Amino acid sequence: MADDCFGHRRLAAIYDPLDPDRSDLDAYLRMAEGFGAHQVLDIGCGTGVFALLLADCGIEVVGIDPAPASIDVARAKPGSDRVRWICGDATALPPLQVDLATMTANVAQAIADPDTWQKTLRGAYEALRPGGHLVFETRDPARRAWEEWTRENSYRVTEIPGVGSVESWVQLIEMSWPLVTFRWTYIFAADGNVLTSDSTLRFREREEIETDLVAHGYVVEDVRDAPDRPGTEFVFLARRV
């Protein structure tokens, strides 16, 4: 089930304006180009930002996400007809043959259930052509990112056209290692409505992820830094044999 920030229609509609800087996707675009990818599966595509960037490059894209509200936002964007949108997850994909599968931002960590994680890796593997790549990122647990998830560090007020002023902040609410749960709060000035969205992420060690990938038949070609967040993230590049 998708978190409310992706699944609630009012929150999905403001997701992009609240996080307009997606320079984190530049590295993924460069990798798609470097791999010579013609078909890409974007797992956890959300509101379609990355899928549409790929489509702008002439790449054939399938975007899949379990949140209908986010998919609706994606479908309403200019150029969305160039992407095949699927409401679902990578555990039950239709038959595909893609050159590259991606999980950007928090997608890999948001798959917190161990069984679903294994099925996602298998689903991506089956969707890839032989020699195709799976690329995703996950936070390095040693950096203890959750310590910065406080109201003091995250509080902001954003003016959104057609919506008005929205206050937002995040707070850590539970640690049950390796699971970390946090809550986003949103206050809409136009009507005073207060909405919250709880999310749980699983923090996996690098060795654990490499073991999982190898067990599903991947070759781990590289584990690198996220260029815009050096020292905080693992970016995995795995190839289907």
Side-chain angles (χ1 to χ4, degrees), residues 66-106:
S70 290
I71 291 291
D72 286 346
V73 171
R75 284 181 170 141
K77 292 181 176 180
S80 64
D81 57 325
R82 296 171 297 169
V83 177
R84 179 184 177 187
W85 306 104
I86 300 174
C87 189
D89 60 42
T91 67
L93 289 165
L96 295 172
Q97 284 283 285
V98 300
D99 306 305
L100 174 65
T102 60
M103 292 186 282
T104 65
N106 288 333

Short mmCIF file of all heavy atoms in Angstrom, two decimals, residues 66-106:
data_model
loop_
_atom_site.label_atom_id
_atom_site.label_comp_id
_atom_site.label_asym_id
_atom_site.label_seq_id
_atom_site.Cartn_x
_atom_site.Cartn_y
_atom_site.Cartn_z
N PRO A 66 2.37 1.76 -7.13
CA PRO A 66 1.16 1.24 -6.51
C PRO A 66 0.13 2.29 -6.12
O PRO A 66 -0.97 1.94 -5.67
CB PRO A 66 1.70 0.54 -5.26
CG PRO A 66 2.94 1.29 -4.92
CD PRO A 66 3.53 1.69 -6.24
N ALA A 67 0.46 3.59 -6.29
CA ALA A 67 -0.44 4.65 -5.84
C ALA A 67 -1.24 5.22 -7.00
O ALA A 67 -0.69 5.94 -7.85
CB ALA A 67 0.36 5.77 -5.17
N PRO A 68 -2.54 4.95 -7.09
CA PRO A 68 -3.35 5.48 -8.19
C PRO A 68 -3.32 7.01 -8.27
O PRO A 68 -3.32 7.57 -9.36
CB PRO A 68 -4.77 4.98 -7.86
CG PRO A 68 -4.57 3.78 -7.01
CD PRO A 68 -3.34 4.06 -6.20
N ALA A 69 -3.28 7.70 -7.12
CA ALA A 69 -3.28 9.16 -7.14
C ALA A 69 -2.02 9.70 -7.81
O ALA A 69 -2.08 10.68 -8.57
CB ALA A 69 -3.40 9.71 -5.72
N SER A 70 -0.88 9.08 -7.56
CA SER A 70 0.37 9.52 -8.19
C SER A 70 0.36 9.23 -9.69
O SER A 70 0.81 10.05 -10.50
CB SER A 70 1.57 8.83 -7.54
OG SER A 70 1.78 9.31 -6.23
N ILE A 71 -0.15 8.06 -10.06
CA ILE A 71 -0.25 7.73 -11.48
C ILE A 71 -1.17 8.72 -12.19
O ILE A 71 -0.90 9.15 -13.33
CB ILE A 71 -0.75 6.29 -11.67
CG1 ILE A 71 0.32 5.28 -11.21
CG2 ILE A 71 -1.14 6.02 -13.11
CD1 ILE A 71 1.54 5.22 -12.09
N ASP A 72 -2.25 9.13 -11.53
CA ASP A 72 -3.15 10.11 -12.13
C ASP A 72 -2.44 11.44 -12.36
O ASP A 72 -2.64 12.10 -13.39
CB ASP A 72 -4.37 10.33 -11.24
CG ASP A 72 -5.35 9.17 -11.28
OD1 ASP A 72 -5.23 8.32 -12.20
OD2 ASP A 72 -6.22 9.09 -10.40
N VAL A 73 -1.61 11.86 -11.40
CA VAL A 73 -0.82 13.09 -11.58
C VAL A 73 0.11 12.93 -12.78
O VAL A 73 0.24 13.84 -13.61
CB VAL A 73 -0.03 13.43 -10.31
CG1 VAL A 73 0.96 14.57 -10.57
CG2 VAL A 73 -0.97 13.80 -9.16
N ALA A 74 0.77 11.79 -12.87
CA ALA A 74 1.69 11.55 -13.99
C ALA A 74 0.97 11.60 -15.33
O ALA A 74 1.46 12.21 -16.29
CB ALA A 74 2.38 10.20 -13.80
N ARG A 75 -0.18 10.96 -15.39
CA ARG A 75 -0.93 10.90 -16.65
C ARG A 75 -1.43 12.27 -17.09
O ARG A 75 -1.71 12.48 -18.27
CB ARG A 75 -2.10 9.94 -16.49
CG ARG A 75 -1.71 8.47 -16.52
CD ARG A 75 -2.91 7.58 -16.38
NE ARG A 75 -2.59 6.18 -16.64
CZ ARG A 75 -3.08 5.15 -15.96
NH1 ARG A 75 -3.95 5.38 -14.97
NH2 ARG A 75 -2.74 3.92 -16.26
N ALA A 76 -1.58 13.20 -16.15
CA ALA A 76 -2.08 14.53 -16.49
C ALA A 76 -0.99 15.47 -16.99
O ALA A 76 -1.29 16.59 -17.43
CB ALA A 76 -2.77 15.15 -15.27
N LYS A 77 0.25 15.04 -16.98
CA LYS A 77 1.36 15.91 -17.37
C LYS A 77 1.54 15.92 -18.89
O LYS A 77 1.23 14.94 -19.56
CB LYS A 77 2.66 15.45 -16.69
CG LYS A 77 2.67 15.66 -15.19
CD LYS A 77 3.99 15.21 -14.58
CE LYS A 77 4.02 15.51 -13.09
NZ LYS A 77 5.28 15.08 -12.45
N PRO A 78 2.06 17.03 -19.42
CA PRO A 78 2.33 17.09 -20.86
C PRO A 78 3.29 15.97 -21.28
O PRO A 78 4.27 15.71 -20.60
CB PRO A 78 2.98 18.47 -21.03
CG PRO A 78 2.51 19.27 -19.86
CD PRO A 78 2.37 18.30 -18.73
N GLY A 79 2.99 15.34 -22.38
CA GLY A 79 3.84 14.27 -22.91
C GLY A 79 3.64 12.93 -22.26
O GLY A 79 4.35 11.97 -22.58
N SER A 80 2.66 12.82 -21.36
CA SER A 80 2.48 11.57 -20.63
C SER A 80 2.05 10.41 -21.53
O SER A 80 2.21 9.25 -21.16
CB SER A 80 1.45 11.75 -19.51
OG SER A 80 0.17 12.04 -20.05
N ASP A 81 1.53 10.72 -22.70
CA ASP A 81 1.09 9.67 -23.61
C ASP A 81 2.27 8.88 -24.19
O ASP A 81 2.08 7.82 -24.78
CB ASP A 81 0.25 10.26 -24.75
CG ASP A 81 0.99 11.33 -25.53
OD1 ASP A 81 1.78 12.09 -24.92
OD2 ASP A 81 0.78 11.41 -26.75
N ARG A 82 3.49 9.38 -23.97
CA ARG A 82 4.68 8.68 -24.46
C ARG A 82 5.14 7.59 -23.50
O ARG A 82 6.07 6.84 -23.81
CB ARG A 82 5.82 9.67 -24.69
CG ARG A 82 5.54 10.70 -25.78
CD ARG A 82 6.62 11.76 -25.79
NE ARG A 82 6.62 12.50 -24.52
CZ ARG A 82 7.59 13.34 -24.17
NH1 ARG A 82 8.63 13.53 -24.96
NH2 ARG A 82 7.52 13.99 -23.03
N VAL A 83 4.52 7.52 -22.32
CA VAL A 83 4.89 6.55 -21.29
C VAL A 83 3.75 5.56 -21.08
O VAL A 83 2.58 5.95 -21.10
CB VAL A 83 5.23 7.26 -19.96
CG1 VAL A 83 5.56 6.24 -18.87
CG2 VAL A 83 6.38 8.24 -20.16
N ARG A 84 4.10 4.31 -20.89
CA ARG A 84 3.10 3.31 -20.50
C ARG A 84 3.02 3.28 -18.98
O ARG A 84 4.00 2.93 -18.30
CB ARG A 84 3.50 1.93 -21.03
CG ARG A 84 2.52 0.81 -20.64
CD ARG A 84 3.05 -0.53 -21.12
NE ARG A 84 2.18 -1.63 -20.70
CZ ARG A 84 2.47 -2.91 -20.87
NH1 ARG A 84 3.61 -3.26 -21.48
NH2 ARG A 84 1.64 -3.85 -20.45
N TRP A 85 1.89 3.70 -18.44
CA TRP A 85 1.72 3.78 -16.98
C TRP A 85 0.99 2.54 -16.47
O TRP A 85 -0.02 2.14 -17.04
CB TRP A 85 0.94 5.03 -16.60
CG TRP A 85 1.52 6.31 -17.13
CD1 TRP A 85 1.04 7.04 -18.18
CD2 TRP A 85 2.67 7.00 -16.66
NE1 TRP A 85 1.82 8.15 -18.39
CE2 TRP A 85 2.83 8.15 -17.47
CE3 TRP A 85 3.58 6.76 -15.63
CZ2 TRP A 85 3.87 9.05 -17.28
CZ3 TRP A 85 4.62 7.66 -15.44
CH2 TRP A 85 4.76 8.78 -16.25
N ILE A 86 1.49 1.97 -15.39
CA ILE A 86 0.87 0.80 -14.78
C ILE A 86 0.70 1.07 -13.29
O ILE A 86 1.66 1.47 -12.61
CB ILE A 86 1.72 -0.47 -14.98
CG1 ILE A 86 1.90 -0.78 -16.46
CG2 ILE A 86 1.08 -1.66 -14.27
CD1 ILE A 86 2.84 -1.94 -16.74
N CYS A 87 -0.49 0.85 -12.78
CA CYS A 87 -0.72 0.97 -11.34
C CYS A 87 -0.50 -0.42 -10.73
O CYS A 87 -1.28 -1.35 -10.97
CB CYS A 87 -2.13 1.47 -11.05
SG CYS A 87 -2.38 1.89 -9.32
N GLY A 88 0.58 -0.58 -10.00
CA GLY A 88 0.93 -1.87 -9.43
C GLY A 88 2.36 -1.83 -8.92
O GLY A 88 2.90 -0.76 -8.65
N ASP A 89 2.98 -2.99 -8.78
CA ASP A 89 4.38 -3.04 -8.35
C ASP A 89 5.13 -4.09 -9.15
O ASP A 89 4.56 -4.79 -9.98
CB ASP A 89 4.49 -3.28 -6.84
CG ASP A 89 3.86 -4.60 -6.40
OD1 ASP A 89 4.05 -5.61 -7.10
OD2 ASP A 89 3.19 -4.60 -5.36
N ALA A 90 6.41 -4.20 -8.87
CA ALA A 90 7.27 -5.06 -9.68
C ALA A 90 7.15 -6.53 -9.32
O ALA A 90 7.83 -7.36 -9.92
CB ALA A 90 8.73 -4.62 -9.54
N THR A 91 6.30 -6.87 -8.36
CA THR A 91 6.11 -8.28 -8.02
C THR A 91 5.17 -8.99 -8.98
O THR A 91 5.09 -10.21 -8.97
CB THR A 91 5.57 -8.44 -6.58
OG1 THR A 91 4.23 -7.92 -6.52
CG2 THR A 91 6.44 -7.70 -5.58
N ALA A 92 4.46 -8.23 -9.81
CA ALA A 92 3.49 -8.83 -10.75
C ALA A 92 3.46 -8.01 -12.02
O ALA A 92 2.44 -7.42 -12.38
CB ALA A 92 2.11 -8.91 -10.12
N LEU A 93 4.58 -7.98 -12.73
CA LEU A 93 4.68 -7.21 -13.96
C LEU A 93 4.13 -7.98 -15.15
O LEU A 93 4.18 -9.21 -15.18
CB LEU A 93 6.15 -6.88 -14.23
CG LEU A 93 6.82 -5.86 -13.32
CD1 LEU A 93 8.33 -5.92 -13.48
CD2 LEU A 93 6.31 -4.45 -13.64
N PRO A 94 3.64 -7.26 -16.15
CA PRO A 94 3.30 -7.93 -17.41
C PRO A 94 4.60 -8.33 -18.11
O PRO A 94 5.68 -7.89 -17.73
CB PRO A 94 2.57 -6.83 -18.18
CG PRO A 94 3.12 -5.56 -17.64
CD PRO A 94 3.38 -5.81 -16.19
N PRO A 95 4.53 -9.18 -19.12
CA PRO A 95 5.75 -9.56 -19.83
C PRO A 95 6.46 -8.33 -20.42
O PRO A 95 5.84 -7.53 -21.12
CB PRO A 95 5.24 -10.49 -20.94
CG PRO A 95 3.94 -11.01 -20.42
CD PRO A 95 3.34 -9.89 -19.63
N LEU A 96 7.74 -8.17 -20.10
CA LEU A 96 8.53 -7.04 -20.58
C LEU A 96 9.92 -7.52 -20.96
O LEU A 96 10.40 -8.55 -20.47
CB LEU A 96 8.67 -5.95 -19.50
CG LEU A 96 7.41 -5.22 -19.03
CD1 LEU A 96 7.74 -4.34 -17.82
CD2 LEU A 96 6.83 -4.38 -20.15
N GLN A 97 10.58 -6.76 -21.82
CA GLN A 97 11.98 -6.97 -22.15
C GLN A 97 12.62 -5.59 -22.22
O GLN A 97 12.57 -4.93 -23.27
CB GLN A 97 12.14 -7.72 -23.46
CG GLN A 97 11.84 -9.21 -23.37
CD GLN A 97 12.98 -9.98 -22.73
OE1 GLN A 97 14.01 -10.21 -23.34
NE2 GLN A 97 12.80 -10.37 -21.48
N VAL A 98 13.22 -5.14 -21.11
CA VAL A 98 13.78 -3.80 -21.06
C VAL A 98 15.30 -3.87 -20.91
O VAL A 98 15.86 -4.89 -20.49
CB VAL A 98 13.17 -2.97 -19.91
CG1 VAL A 98 11.66 -2.84 -20.10
CG2 VAL A 98 13.49 -3.56 -18.55
N ASP A 99 15.94 -2.76 -21.25
CA ASP A 99 17.40 -2.67 -21.13
C ASP A 99 17.84 -2.22 -19.75
O ASP A 99 18.97 -2.50 -19.32
CB ASP A 99 17.95 -1.67 -22.16
CG ASP A 99 17.50 -1.99 -23.57
OD1 ASP A 99 17.75 -3.14 -24.01
OD2 ASP A 99 16.91 -1.12 -24.22
N LEU A 100 16.95 -1.51 -19.06
CA LEU A 100 17.30 -0.91 -17.78
C LEU A 100 16.07 -0.84 -16.89
O LEU A 100 14.99 -0.47 -17.36
CB LEU A 100 17.86 0.51 -18.00
CG LEU A 100 18.15 1.37 -16.77
CD1 LEU A 100 19.27 0.76 -15.94
CD2 LEU A 100 18.52 2.79 -17.21
N ALA A 101 16.24 -1.21 -15.62
CA ALA A 101 15.20 -1.03 -14.61
C ALA A 101 15.78 -0.14 -13.52
O ALA A 101 16.94 -0.30 -13.12
CB ALA A 101 14.76 -2.36 -14.02
N THR A 102 14.98 0.81 -13.03
CA THR A 102 15.47 1.77 -12.05
C THR A 102 14.54 1.84 -10.84
O THR A 102 13.33 1.62 -10.95
CB THR A 102 15.58 3.18 -12.66
OG1 THR A 102 14.29 3.60 -13.11
CG2 THR A 102 16.55 3.20 -13.82
N MET A 103 15.13 2.17 -9.70
CA MET A 103 14.39 2.54 -8.50
C MET A 103 15.10 3.76 -7.93
O MET A 103 16.15 3.62 -7.29
CB MET A 103 14.35 1.39 -7.48
CG MET A 103 13.54 0.20 -7.91
SD MET A 103 13.38 -1.08 -6.61
CE MET A 103 14.97 -1.90 -6.74
N THR A 104 14.57 4.94 -8.20
CA THR A 104 15.22 6.17 -7.77
C THR A 104 14.74 6.58 -6.38
O THR A 104 13.76 6.06 -5.86
CB THR A 104 14.95 7.31 -8.77
OG1 THR A 104 13.54 7.61 -8.77
CG2 THR A 104 15.39 6.92 -10.17
N ALA A 105 15.47 7.54 -5.78
CA ALA A 105 15.09 8.13 -4.50
C ALA A 105 14.88 7.05 -3.44
O ALA A 105 15.70 6.17 -3.28
CB ALA A 105 13.88 9.05 -4.67
N ASN A 106 13.74 7.10 -2.72
CA ASN A 106 13.50 6.19 -1.60
C ASN A 106 12.86 4.86 -1.99
O ASN A 106 12.51 4.07 -1.10
CB ASN A 106 12.58 6.85 -0.57
CG ASN A 106 13.26 7.95 0.20
OD1 ASN A 106 14.48 7.95 0.38
ND2 ASN A 106 12.47 8.90 0.67
#
